[in-house]
Amino acid sequence: MPKSSALEKASDPSDFRELGHFVVDMLADHLEKTQTDINYPVLSYRDPEDELSFWQQDFSSDSDIKDVFQYILEHSINVHHPRYMGHQVAVPALVSGLAGLISDVLSNGTGVYEMGMAANAIEKVVTDDVAKKIGYSIGDASGFLTSGGTLANLTALLAARKAKAPSSVWEQGHQEKLAVLVSEEAHYCIDRAARILGLGSEGIIKIPVDDQYKINTSVLESYYNKAISEGLHVIAVVGCACSTATGSYDDLNFLADFAEEHNLWFHVDGAHGAAVVFSEKYKHLVDGISRADSVVIDFHKMLMTPALNTGLIFKKAEDAYQTFEQKAQYLWDSQQTKEWYNSGKRTFECTKLMMSIKIYAILKSFGEKVFKQNIEYLYDLASTFAKLIKERPNFELAIMPEANIVNFRYRGVVALDTNAVNGEIREKLITSGTFYIVQTRIGGELYLRTTFMNPLTQESDLLALLAEIEHIAKALS
């Protein structure tokens, strides 16, 4: 190899050490400013075309990699900011970021045991712990980690199809018209998963919700009977814990009873809210979750882990192993054997990141109590915000929150369309860089939506948000 070639420098430990110190110092400075300077922006918003132009120009320039890292920081949203109240993305515990660095440098794919010995063993420890929290029997249950709730929910529905379809779809293709029952408030990935499975729009039976945006259990039987009369073979019912838009928890015990009565697979999409199994105060919200055949929990939502990092836990281990049945002789001798340490037998992913070490680093550093404290603080904060909204006559609360998601809107500009006013309020908040919130539609009406993810967010930040909204609305009047 030529001396000082690009290839040689790409592997130089000394350069790595120097650059690593720079990056850690840069991020630490960023975090200190975030925590101490309220004027430090949540987001320095740029028009998409302007942003693309910036990076096109940088790509053709001779900017140093240290400059590039600084640019990336300045052009990215700041989820650690106390006034980040937008999407459901965890504010990661910093130690998990360091574990991520180890994962990236070691680059151990975990689909095959010897390619990821530590990560596979740690994954079993972590998923067994979650299974215990759910209420599953450790000797019977089995889980694994995968890249996000979309893949996890798709895998769970594949398992449901394997367990409940009259014939082997994997071997013979679709012989019957299959269907799943799901709340109309369920995350869009359930709809997407069902379509990927070939169920089509006819096979996605969306059940209306009640006034609290929970699946309407009073009409579930009639929707099921209608599907049967139309020649559909229903294989599963999906419960939300909680729904993405409103944070509402379905009645899991009712759904479990229904599934048992009709011999259906019972799946719980707990990507956001099933983390309450770590909280004595809030775990009542998922009463009945231990009766589910499968449960999804995103560690990268309420459990302080960088995205993407999702657990899929099966009540019965054999269901995890029977989903995929293809041969891969160069990876393992037999698909039929059930080794927990060859995760590629159970997931879409073969070359999977060392996800488990990020969760393990948090648990070893702080214990499970850090998850409990994070959940309870943020759920309590949502209750506080809802009370503050109800005290103000110009604001309307959609529903009292069960989780850390609060939907509300400003109603004080009578002369203008309420949806347009609230859309304008959000746009001005985003472009100012002072707050980051999102919006959603509930019953066709536009609501401002906050999701409290940052344990550094205080009641003073909530009061400041309401004051800023009132200030913007006054200018629109």
Side-chain angles (χ1 to χ4, degrees), residues 76-192:
S76 299
I77 197 163
N78 183 0
V79 300
H80 287 87
H81 199 292
R83 294 183 176 181
Y84 172 90
M85 307 172 186
H87 290 290
Q88 294 148 285
V89 178
V91 177
L94 301 181
V95 69
S96 63
L98 296 177
L101 172 62
I102 294 173
S103 173
D104 286 349
V105 174
L106 293 181
S107 195
N108 280 199
T110 61
V112 180
Y113 171 66
E114 56 265 30
M115 280 299 295
M117 294 185 295
N120 272 301
I122 291 171
E123 183 166 319
K124 179 165 174 55
V125 171
V126 168
T127 53
D128 280 355
D129 185 56
V130 175
K132 184 178 179 181
K133 289 294 181 184
I134 289 171
Y136 287 162
S137 170
I138 298 302
D140 299 328
S142 180
F144 55 82
L145 302 177
T146 191
S147 296
T150 298
L151 267 184
N153 281 305
L154 174 58
T155 307
L157 290 183
L158 279 169
R161 186 179 70 178
K162 172 66 178 177
K164 299 299 183 179
S167 60
S168 175
V169 177
W170 190 267
E171 295 294 337
Q172 302 172 26
H174 282 281
Q175 306 297 312
E176 306 86 14
K177 294 192 294 182
L178 305 179
V180 296
L181 300 165
V182 63
S183 164
E184 65 181 9
E185 286 291 315
H187 192 272
Y188 70 87
C189 74
I190 301 294
D191 185 289
R192 180 178 292 177

Side-chain angles (χ1 to χ4, degrees), residues 43 89 146 148 215 230 241 364 371 374:
L43 172 68
V89 178
T146 191
I215 194 168
E230 293 172 352
K364 289 297 291 183
F371 291 159
N374 189 59

Side-chain angles (χ1 to χ4, degrees), residues 51-68:
E51 186 69 13
L52 177 61
S53 176
F54 175 88
W55 290 106
Q56 287 172 333
Q57 291 175 32
D58 178 76
F59 190 65
S60 61
S61 75
D62 58 355
S63 57
D64 183 84
I65 188 59
K66 292 181 180 179
D67 293 330
V68 170

Side-chain angles (χ1 to χ4, degrees), residues 135-420:
Y136 287 162
S137 170
I138 298 302
D140 299 328
S142 180
F144 55 82
L145 302 177
T146 191
S147 296
T150 298
L151 267 184
N153 281 305
L154 174 58
T155 307
L157 290 183
L158 279 169
R161 186 179 70 178
K162 172 66 178 177
K164 299 299 183 179
S167 60
S168 175
V169 177
W170 190 267
E171 295 294 337
Q172 302 172 26
H174 282 281
Q175 306 297 312
E176 306 86 14
K177 294 192 294 182
L178 305 179
V180 296
L181 300 165
V182 63
S183 164
E184 65 181 9
E185 286 291 315
H187 192 272
Y188 70 87
C189 74
I190 301 294
D191 185 289
R192 180 178 292 177
R195 293 176 189 276
I196 291 171
L197 289 173
L199 274 58
S201 57
E202 185 183 19
I204 307 163
I205 304 168
K206 295 189 176 181
I207 312 301
V209 293
D210 60 21
D211 59 359
Q212 295 301 301
Y213 301 94
K214 305 169 185 282
I215 194 168
N216 190 339
T217 56
S218 69
V219 301
L220 188 58
E221 186 76 33
S222 64
Y223 273 76
Y224 172 80
N225 290 333
K226 183 174 184 291
I228 298 301
S229 70
E230 293 172 352
L232 293 170
H233 184 97
V234 181
I235 59 171
V237 59
V238 180
C240 294
C242 52
S243 64
T244 303
T246 63
S248 300
Y249 284 81
D250 287 341
D251 184 340
L252 301 185
N253 270 314
F254 183 97
L255 296 180
D257 289 341
F258 185 87
E260 289 174 6
E261 179 183 353
H262 296 287
N263 191 29
L264 306 178
W265 184 277
F266 177 30
H267 173 62
V268 173
D269 178 10
H272 182 95
V276 295
V277 295
F278 286 93
S279 164
E280 286 296 322
K281 183 175 183 178
Y282 286 106
K283 71 178 183 180
H284 69 275
L285 294 169
V286 290
D287 282 348
I289 195 169
S290 63
R291 301 172 65 189
D293 295 293
S294 53
V295 177
V296 164
I297 297 181
D298 281 350
F299 287 89
H300 63 264
K301 286 194 169 69
M302 297 306 300
L303 299 177
M304 307 177 74
T305 307
L308 292 168
N309 204 318
T310 297
L312 172 56
I313 316 297
F314 289 94
K315 188 173 188 176
K316 296 180 180 178
E318 58 264 30
D319 291 321
Y321 290 98
Q322 292 175 2
T323 304
F324 305 107
E325 296 178 326
Q326 74 271 40
K327 295 179 180 179
Q329 290 91 337
Y330 77 99
L331 295 178
W332 43 73
D333 292 333
S334 171
Q335 175 65 35
Q336 280 67 46
T337 54
K338 298 177 175 61
E339 307 101 351
W340 57 264
Y341 46 84
N342 285 321
S343 66
K345 289 187 174 185
R346 299 185 289 165
T347 69
F348 277 96
E349 300 155 295
C350 181
T351 309
K352 188 176 72 175
L353 296 174
M354 302 170 73
M355 302 177 191
S356 60
I357 69 173
K358 300 178 184 180
I359 305 164
Y360 196 72
I362 300 171
L363 290 170
K364 289 297 291 183
S365 297
F366 310 107
E368 290 180 359
K369 62 180 177 293
V370 76
F371 291 159
K372 169 186 179 296
Q373 291 170 5
N374 189 59
I375 292 161
E376 292 181 359
Y377 179 80
L378 296 173
Y379 275 45
D380 288 349
L381 194 65
S383 295
T384 298
F385 190 45
K387 291 173 185 175
L388 293 174
I389 291 168
K390 291 185 73 174
E391 290 170 358
R392 286 160 172 74
N394 289 333
F395 287 86
E396 177 186 9
L397 184 69
I399 57 171
M400 282 299 294
E402 288 188 300
N404 57 326
I405 300 168
V406 182
N407 294 286
F408 67 102
R409 56 183 177 168
Y410 188 81
R411 295 297 301 266
V413 186
V414 179
L416 300 176
D417 177 73
T418 300
N419 289 339

